[in-house]
Amino acid sequence: MARILDGKATAAEIKAEVAAGIEELEAAGRSVRLDVVLVGDDPASATYVGGKEADASQVGMASRVHRFPAGVTQQRLTDLVDELNHDPAVSGFIVQLPLPEGLDPLPLISRIRPEKDVDGLNPESAGRLSMGLPSLMPCTPHGIIQLLRRHDLPLEGREAVVLGRSNLVGKPMAQLLLRENATVTVCHSRTRGLAEVASRADILIVASGQREMVGAEHVKEGAVVVDVGIHRKQEGGLAGDVRFDEVEPKASAITPVPGGVGPMTRAMLLHNALQAARATLA
Amino acid sequence: MARILDGKATAAEIKAEVAAGIEELEAAGRSVRLDVVLVGDDPASATYVGGKEADASQVGMASRVHRFPAGVTQQRLTDLVDELNHDPAVSGFIVQLPLPEGLDPLPLISRIRPEKDVDGLNPESAGRLSMGLPSLMPCTPHGIIQLLRRHDLPLEGREAVVLGRSNLVGKPMAQLLLRENATVTVCHSRTRGLAEVASRADILIVASGQREMVGAEHVKEGAVVVDVGIHRKQEGGLAGDVRFDEVEPKASAITPVPGGVGPMTRAMLLHNALQAARATLA
């Protein structure tokens, strides 16, 4: 029986800390505001942004959503990024992805000042992370580190295997595990003998984006398994990248889907906004 | 008997290509210039810079060395970086490290425009590399990729192990191997069971900075071994991070020290300066 790593409970802890941090800043006459740029009418994006607004409000953080129709010009968005970069009332902001067809996210993301880049996705933030310099860190991998740390699961000297190499999760995850002194292996679609490689892991992070691809054969007895995937089942409910029922009996600890990594990602966005407001990088 | 990966010969090929590229640009009325900022009178730095000038001259590339006494102010160097950033005659430039006591290299390196960052060491360059965006790449890891590629040693799907996690070599090396679709593991001083982990490698890159620390017990039969280390022996001559005599019989291919990675690093600086002059990032 694996220990279930309850992301909801840990996220609640972090949110309480963020709320306290905001009060402290406000007592000193400063405020925290998290802005979101939302373009078009993708229903999933609208839901995520709604969630972010609710999260912010829950911890007493101001937030503002800048809404645009799908037909907005790249230039208008560029101007907005510049405006938000320079507005001292805005602690940090994100551009909700994906953008509608015809708009290029990269120049916008790259233009966000690293001090306000609360998604941690701009190239300078990525470089600072990789070099071990202070930076705002991508929410999902940082949330996973927090989840492991707050469950007293040691990383130093352990074998960590990351399945997936996206810019959003896999690559920054590898950097953060390395910073924690784990021995880190990154696997991907071209990896040969994946089950063998994955089952070396003391800590296995699955971010392949493929529904239920990881089973018992990928997992060492006693491993810690973190499932980043989230997939909507046709029959209703959610599934991860891991076949939970099969892996759970073998693991020593495992994240559920939902209620594992997801809430941590959301909490870390608030954490980043507070960190940005404290201007730790400025 | 391992195949000896002759970095000198491969570097000569690359230099010939760079020389041809320069001629081509010059025929189109454009020029290539590589500048170096050299502070203080560290004899090793002076030797390296001398080597860079000689390399540049060998391929018909202009270069200029900006020399300062150890007592120069940080501000003066900052101003010079700005000047070189904006001087259209300068294709790319480097600040020779280490700087003397009292000068902080990071703000200077970070200030170099990524398009002119021919050492590939600034955080934005590191981030662009990690995200798979076009960038100027750090010379040693890029040189190693070139050396392997030009010896038809495949990386895709292979197990690559990098020993060392410096910003200069280990971390960008891991990124580049990942880009080549290798399965990549990064080891370091906190890794447990290093010999076992290292001997999984089809390709073992040793950049530990510790003289002759890697022996036969770290190497799988038939592995490709790349030695980044360079240490001056008291009795004269140079040694690497690998015990060559012991590892060579087990490896299928191995770099010598000297004459392996070193010449590749030097050649890639010229390659980067040419790439910068072509303004491929601009």
Side-chain angles (χ1 to χ4, degrees), chain A:
Chain A
M1 278 289 294
R3 190 171 164 204
I4 303 299
L5 302 174
D6 183 346
K8 246 173 136 169
T10 307
E13 270 176 45
I14 290 172
K15 282 156 106 174
E17 292 165 15
V18 171
I22 293 173
E23 277 189 24
E24 214 174 275
L25 275 190
E26 286 185 340
R30 293 159 64 189
S31 62
V32 187
R33 194 177 111 195
L34 168 64
D35 280 20
V36 179
V37 180
L38 175 60
V39 184
D41 46 15
D42 178 54
S45 289
T47 304
Y48 288 134
V49 170
K52 287 165 188 174
E53 285 186 280
D55 290 343
S57 134
Q58 205 191 333
V59 297
M61 184 181 289
S63 74
R64 201 167 292 180
V65 181
H66 306 262
R67 288 189 171 77
F68 294 90
V72 67
T73 62
Q74 183 89 18
Q75 186 59 50
R76 179 67 194 91
L77 296 177
T78 304
D79 292 345
L80 178 64
V81 167
D82 288 346
E83 214 175 281
L84 297 174
N85 273 338
H86 291 106
D87 184 344
V90 178
S91 313
F93 64 102
I94 66 164
V95 176
Q96 180 69 40
L97 302 179
L99 292 179
E101 200 73 21
L103 292 168
D104 186 359
L106 189 64
L108 297 172
I109 303 291
S110 303
R111 205 171 177 93
I112 299 174
R113 279 175 52 197
E115 303 91 297
K116 295 196 177 192
D117 178 30
V118 287
D119 257 347
L121 296 181
N122 104 15
E124 193 174 337
S125 299
R128 295 184 63 90
L129 174 66
S130 130
M131 295 174 75
L133 301 170
S135 65
L136 292 167
M137 294 188 268
C139 299
T140 298
H142 189 197
I144 291 170
I145 294 288
Q146 287 295 327
L147 188 65
L148 297 172
R149 195 181 285 163
R150 288 166 189 248
H151 284 82
D152 295 315
L153 294 165
L155 294 167
E156 172 146 342
R158 303 303 195 281
E159 289 237 25
V161 176
V162 179
L163 217 166
R165 55 174 165 175
S166 68
N167 291 331
L168 194 61
V169 183
K171 287 185 206 165
M173 186 78 251
Q175 300 289 356
L176 284 174
L177 289 163
L178 201 55
R179 194 187 274 198
E180 299 289 326
N181 292 323
T183 297
V184 183
T185 299
V186 180
C187 296
H188 43 78
S189 56
R190 311 295 179 84
T191 292
R192 297 180 185 174
L194 179 64
E196 190 213 315
V197 176
S199 56
R200 292 173 192 155
D202 300 310
I203 294 103
L204 179 63
I205 314 283
V206 186
S208 64
Q210 296 199 43
R211 178 176 161 181
E212 296 177 321
M213 75 162 284
V214 164
E217 74 276 19
H218 297 85
V219 176
K220 179 166 77 174
E221 195 70 46
V224 173
V225 180
V226 175
D227 187 350
V228 180
I230 189 145
H231 309 271
R232 221 164 277 281
K233 295 198 230 181
Q234 277 201 313
E235 65 272 29
L238 298 168
D241 290 352
V242 173
R243 300 196 288 275
F244 185 91
D245 291 342
E246 190 183 315
V247 167
E248 184 271 337
K250 229 176 157 182
S252 64
I254 187 167
T255 58
V257 175
V261 173
M264 293 302 298
T265 298
R266 288 172 64 167
M268 295 324 288
L269 180 64
L270 302 173
H271 167 94
N272 274 354
L274 174 61
Q275 214 194 323
R278 284 182 176 144
T280 40
L281 297 183

Side-chain angles (χ1 to χ4, degrees), chain B residues 109-217:
Chain B
I109 302 291
S110 303
R111 206 173 177 92
I112 299 174
R113 281 174 51 197
E115 304 92 299
K116 294 196 176 192
D117 177 29
V118 287
D119 256 347
L121 296 181
N122 104 15
E124 194 174 337
S125 298
R128 295 183 63 89
L129 174 66
S130 131
M131 296 174 75
L133 301 171
S135 66
L136 293 167
M137 294 189 268
C139 298
T140 298
H142 189 199
I144 291 169
I145 295 288
Q146 287 295 328
L147 187 65
L148 297 173
R149 195 181 283 163
R150 288 166 190 249
H151 285 82
D152 294 314
L153 294 165
L155 294 167
E156 173 146 339
R158 302 305 195 280
E159 289 237 28
V161 176
V162 179
L163 218 166
R165 54 174 165 175
S166 68
N167 290 332
L168 194 62
V169 183
K171 286 186 207 164
M173 186 78 251
Q175 300 290 357
L176 284 175
L177 289 164
L178 201 55
R179 194 186 275 197
E180 299 289 326
N181 292 322
T183 297
V184 182
T185 299
V186 180
C187 296
H188 43 78
S189 57
R190 311 295 178 86
T191 291
R192 296 180 187 174
L194 179 65
E196 191 214 315
V197 176
S199 56
R200 292 174 192 155
D202 299 310
I203 294 102
L204 179 63
I205 313 284
V206 186
S208 64
Q210 295 198 42
R211 178 175 161 182
E212 295 177 322
M213 74 162 286
V214 164
E217 73 277 20

